[in-house]
């Protein structure tokens, strides 16, 4: 049940891009192509999972006063590892992510999860949180990237769909516009889900009061 | 819905309504629209018609499906702002625009810039300008630049690099967007708006003169003063788009600052880039309007400055 909660938080309820609005810099800059979302998302997932595990393991060792430098050191280690790996094995993705790859060090999602979750929770939960927060980030970036790529370049994942394209969506103004639209649609879905859950919770309470269901 | 109007006393009531003002603007724009069709042919009419239909259609559909209003209410309260936006957008595009450009521009201008921000009076920038800039960013020379030569009095650009002032004024042989070439028609429309009390003659005049002067000073050449104010989209922008009520400051001083800075920016951008920049300048200044209003607030009726009061009291004591 706890694992399911962590997964749902990362993917939907506390989605880092759409709900927490963290890591907006790579979100705005890299979502011109859907493929960038996958690349950046996987890199962030890797760093986030590894740093969450290490920080969770060291949570009783790191002194409170120097925790931020300690976190940065741990995060930077994994960023360096993923950078070297991508440079060696996937140079194309590494080139298209450009400067945003080393900047994962200061990505607020990773520092935010370290501070808010990994430093207070056991290793297993921290690891799951890292994986699902990263996947939530990847999903949001890939969807936004696909939207902007389809409208702005007439293709998706590099596959040409048609010749028609609206250049606005490949430009920075289009990035902010797309982000705003995504947050708006997300909030709409979110509040609809919350309203429905509340309704079903109310009805199940009614039922348990009447003694229809007893397992609440 | 009753509108709560927040302004300082005294409240002067007039018979001006948004609908009446917008119909006046439409009348004022019609000479330029007719001139556009005369100069650029039936394609110009088509572009304007698509822009009009898409703008009005976007408002109606938005109100039907998002605001859940019924069609009777919409026709009763429709205030023609979207019609003006659509016509202005059409006049801002080249007659060579592909059919989808005015369609998408109208949807963006009315749907995103106006309706999403709350409808008439809530748009944060001028919708027609935003629509034009959206299309310029998206399709580039397909909608602006690479202008078609007009069918009347066409001259090849190589024959005479600088057109005569009379040609610039009437628009004969001048390439440009559908509505911007005939300054005579724009000035006639502007004069009608001034007579009807819709706009104040001071503000477009300030904008146009300051823009011309800035460019002349930048180039250190006063012979380009008249050609520069008679060319490009300056007249159209100054008379019909920079004067949009929603996106101009509240006070006279604020408006003077707004239009003067607009003129300086337009002159400088024109001088530095060598291209047309009126729409970008208006867009930029639209966003500064809340800032101007913050620092130049309207004075309450009968208000005396506190320092003056203190000084007067002091003088009274001394005497």
């Amino acid at each position: 049940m706890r694992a399911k909660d962590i997964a749902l938080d990362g993917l939907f309820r506390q989605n880092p891009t759409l709900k927490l609005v963290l890591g907006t810099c790579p979100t705005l800059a890299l979502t011109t192509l859907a493929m960038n979302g996958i690349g950046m998302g996987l890199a962030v997932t890797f760093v986030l999972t590894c740093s969450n595990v290490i920080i969770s393991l060291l949570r009783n060792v790191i002194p409170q006063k120097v925790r931020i430098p300690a976190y940065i050191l741990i995060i930077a280690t994994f960023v360096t590892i993923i950078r070297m790996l991508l440079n060696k094995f996937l140079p194309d993705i590494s080139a298209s992510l450009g400067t945003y790859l080393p900047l994962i060090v200061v990505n607020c999602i990773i520092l935010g999860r370290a501070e808010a979750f990994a430093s207070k929770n056991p290793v297993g939960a921290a690891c799951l949180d890292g994986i699902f927060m990263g996947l939530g980030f990847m999903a949001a970036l890939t969807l936004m990237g696909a939207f902007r790529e389809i409208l702005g370049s007439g293709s998706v994942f590099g596959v040409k769909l048609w010749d028609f394209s609206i250049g606005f969506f490949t430009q920075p103004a289009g990035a902010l516009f797309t982000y705003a639209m995504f947050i708006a649609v997300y909030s709409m879905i979110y509040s609809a889900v919350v309203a429905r859950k509340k309704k079903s919770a109310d009805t199940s309470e009614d039922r348990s009061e009447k003694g229809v269901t007893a397992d609440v | 819905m009753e509108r709560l109007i927040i302004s300082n006393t005294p409240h002067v009531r007039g018979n001006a309504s948004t609908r009446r003002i917008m119909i006046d603007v439409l009348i004022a724009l019609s000479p330029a629209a007719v001139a556009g069709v005369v100069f650029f042919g039936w394609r110009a009419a088509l572009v304007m018609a698509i822009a009009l239909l898409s703008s009005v259609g976007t408002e109606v559909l938005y109100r039907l499906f998002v605001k859940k209003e019924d069609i009777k209410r919409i026709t009763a309260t429709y205030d023609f702002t979207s019609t003006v936006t659509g016509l202005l957008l059409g006049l801002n595009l080249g007659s060579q625009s592909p059919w989808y450009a005015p369609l998408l521009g109208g949807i963006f201008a009315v749907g995103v810039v106006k309706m999403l921000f709350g409808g008439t009076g809530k748009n944060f920038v001028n919708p027609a300008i935003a629509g034009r800039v959206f299309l310029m960013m998206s399709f580039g020379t397909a909608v602006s630049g690479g202008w078609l030569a007009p069918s009347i009095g066409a001259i090849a650009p190589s024959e005479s690099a600088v057109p005569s002032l009379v040609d610039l004024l009437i628009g004969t042989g001048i390439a440009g967007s559908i509505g911007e070439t005939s300054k005579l028609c724009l000035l006639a429309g502007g004069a009608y708006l001034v007579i009807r009390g819709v706009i104040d003659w001071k503000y477009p005049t300030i904008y146009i003169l300051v823009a011309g002067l800035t460019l002349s000073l930048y180039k250190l050449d006063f012979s380009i003063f008249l050609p520069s104010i008679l060319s490009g989209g300056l007249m159209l922008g100054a008379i019909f788009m920079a004067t949009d009520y929603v996106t101009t400051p509240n006070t006279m001083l604020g408006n003077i600052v707004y239009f003067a800075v607009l003129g300086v920016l337009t002159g400088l951008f024109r001088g530095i880039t060598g291209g047309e920049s009126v729409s970008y300048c208006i867009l930029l200044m639209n966003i500064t309007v809340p800032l101007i209003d913050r620092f130049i607030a309207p004075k309450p009726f009968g208000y005396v400055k506190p320092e003056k009061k203190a000084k007067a009291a002091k003088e009274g004591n001394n005497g």
Side-chain angles (χ1 to χ4, degrees):
Chain A
M1 200 57 208
R2 182 115 170 83
K4 195 186 155 197
D5 266 348
I6 292 172
L8 269 179
D9 271 352
L11 292 176
F12 182 71
R13 286 193 303 228
Q14 298 280 318
N15 188 290
T17 312
L18 299 171
K19 181 77 179 181
L20 306 179
V21 197
L22 291 174
T24 50
C25 196
T27 306
L28 292 172
L30 289 175
T31 48
T32 46
L33 300 170
M35 204 53 217
N36 283 354
I38 302 259
M40 187 69 189
L42 285 180
V44 167
T45 308
F46 169 78
V47 174
L48 190 53
T49 310
C50 296
S51 69
N52 262 10
V53 166
I54 301 291
I55 288 165
S56 171
L57 282 172
L58 296 174
R59 69 184 186 279
N60 298 322
V61 181
I62 298 171
Q64 186 69 12
K65 278 187 181 168
V66 291
R67 65 188 194 286
I68 301 287
Y71 295 165
I72 293 278
L73 202 64
I74 293 162
I75 295 164
T77 311
F78 289 110
V79 172
T80 313
I81 292 173
I82 190 87
R83 239 186 112 190
M84 287 172 167
L85 285 175
L86 282 181
N87 270 338
K88 170 75 181 152
F89 295 109
L90 297 165
D92 290 348
I93 288 186
S94 172
S96 70
L97 298 183
T99 183
Y100 292 94
L101 198 53
L103 279 178
I104 295 177
V105 175
V106 286
N107 191 315
C108 23
I109 296 173
I110 292 161
L111 205 57
R113 293 325 286 176
E115 179 81 2
F117 197 89
S119 59
K120 293 169 190 148
N121 286 287
V123 183
C127 178
L128 274 180
D129 180 73
I131 291 172
F132 283 104
M133 279 284 162
L135 289 181
F137 179 71
M138 183 174 90
L141 249 66
T142 310
L143 282 177
M144 276 175 70
F147 180 81
R148 285 181 68 191
E149 196 181 340
I150 290 171
L151 288 179
S153 315
S155 60
V156 64
F157 290 108
V159 181
K160 196 92 193 152
L161 296 175
W162 46 68
D163 276 332
F164 181 73
S165 65
I166 305 170
F168 175 75
F169 287 98
T170 58
Q171 293 173 26
L176 288 163
F177 178 75
T178 308
Y179 200 1
M181 289 293 154
F182 266 73
I183 292 180
V185 171
Y186 167 82
S187 307
M188 233 163 75
I189 299 171
Y190 184 84
S191 41
V193 168
V194 168
R196 190 196 277 171
K197 220 168 230 171
K198 209 176 161 196
K199 216 175 164 186
S200 68
D202 285 352
T203 50
S204 71
E205 252 172 42
D206 288 350
R207 264 190 238 142
S208 64
E209 274 168 16
K210 287 169 194 163
V212 178
T213 50
D215 63 336
V216 178
Chain B
M1 190 172 59
E2 279 298 310
R3 277 247 301 259
L4 177 66
I5 301 160
I6 303 170
S7 70
N8 293 315
T9 50
H11 302 288
V12 181
R13 300 271 323 177
N15 62 353
S17 67
T18 311
R19 190 187 273 223
R20 201 217 84 190
I21 288 170
M22 287 303 141
I23 289 172
D24 271 346
V25 176
L26 285 178
I27 293 170
L29 279 172
S30 51
V34 171
V37 177
V38 171
F39 287 144
F40 297 105
W42 63 272
R43 268 205 73 108
L46 189 70
V47 168
M48 284 190 285
I50 297 175
L52 267 173
L53 281 178
S54 110
S55 299
V56 176
T58 305
E59 170 163 350
V60 171
L61 289 179
Y62 187 93
R63 288 172 70 171
L64 268 180
F65 293 110
V66 183
K67 297 264 185 188
K68 305 252 185 320
E69 295 178 43
D70 61 75
I71 198 86
K72 244 183 206 163
R73 224 191 102 73
I74 295 172
T75 45
T77 57
Y78 183 71
D79 55 21
F80 285 92
T81 44
S82 292
T83 318
V84 171
T85 299
L87 187 56
L88 271 175
L89 179 69
L91 292 174
N92 263 297
L93 300 176
S95 56
Q96 82 280 18
S97 304
W99 62 271
Y100 51 79
L103 182 75
L104 289 173
I107 293 171
F108 185 84
V110 174
V112 174
V113 180
K114 194 176 108 179
M115 299 317 286
L116 277 186
F117 282 85
T120 301
K122 305 282 173 58
N123 45 297
F124 73 116
V125 291
N126 183 299
I129 290 270
R132 173 185 152 113
V133 168
F134 169 75
L135 292 176
M136 276 164 74
M137 286 169 78
S138 297
F139 306 116
T141 51
V143 291
S144 67
W147 306 110
L148 284 192
S151 53
I152 289 182
I155 41 164
S158 53
E159 277 179 39
S160 109
V162 182
S164 77
L165 287 178
V166 179
D167 276 344
L168 277 174
L169 189 65
I170 302 171
T172 42
I174 307 298
S177 78
I178 295 167
E180 74 183 10
T181 55
S182 179
K183 312 300 167 195
L184 203 61
C185 295
L186 290 173
L187 284 172
Y192 174 78
L193 288 184
V194 170
I195 291 166
R196 295 282 286 170
V198 173
I199 61 169
D200 193 326
W201 65 272
K202 287 194 289 292
Y203 304 139
T205 315
I206 290 174
Y207 178 20
I208 292 167
L209 291 183
V210 171
L213 273 178
T214 312
L215 184 64
S216 307
L217 283 174
Y218 180 80
K219 298 263 186 196
L220 289 176
D221 176 11
F222 281 87
S223 67
I224 60 167
F225 178 74
L226 273 178
S228 80
I229 63 174
L230 285 175
S231 61
L234 183 56
M235 290 266 176
L236 181 61
I239 297 172
F240 290 101
M241 294 198 281
T243 52
D244 178 1
Y245 287 160
V246 185
T247 51
T248 45
N250 287 328
T251 54
M252 196 176 119
L253 183 62
N255 268 306
I256 290 171
V257 170
Y258 173 83
F259 282 96
V261 177
L262 195 51
V264 171
L265 279 181
T266 307
L268 280 180
F269 282 10
R270 275 183 162 186
I272 292 165
T273 64
E276 186 55 300
S277 55
V278 171
S279 46
Y280 282 104
C281 291
I282 296 178
L283 201 62
L284 196 64
M285 286 307 288
N286 278 175
I287 300 167
T288 67
V289 165
L291 193 72
I292 294 176
D293 273 339
R294 199 188 143 106
F295 288 109
I296 307 175
K299 226 190 256 171
F301 188 64
Y303 177 81
V304 183
K305 267 191 183 170
E307 299 92 26
K308 256 190 191 166
K309 228 193 249 167
K311 211 177 167 189
K314 212 176 167 189
E315 276 168 4
N317 283 344
N318 289 343

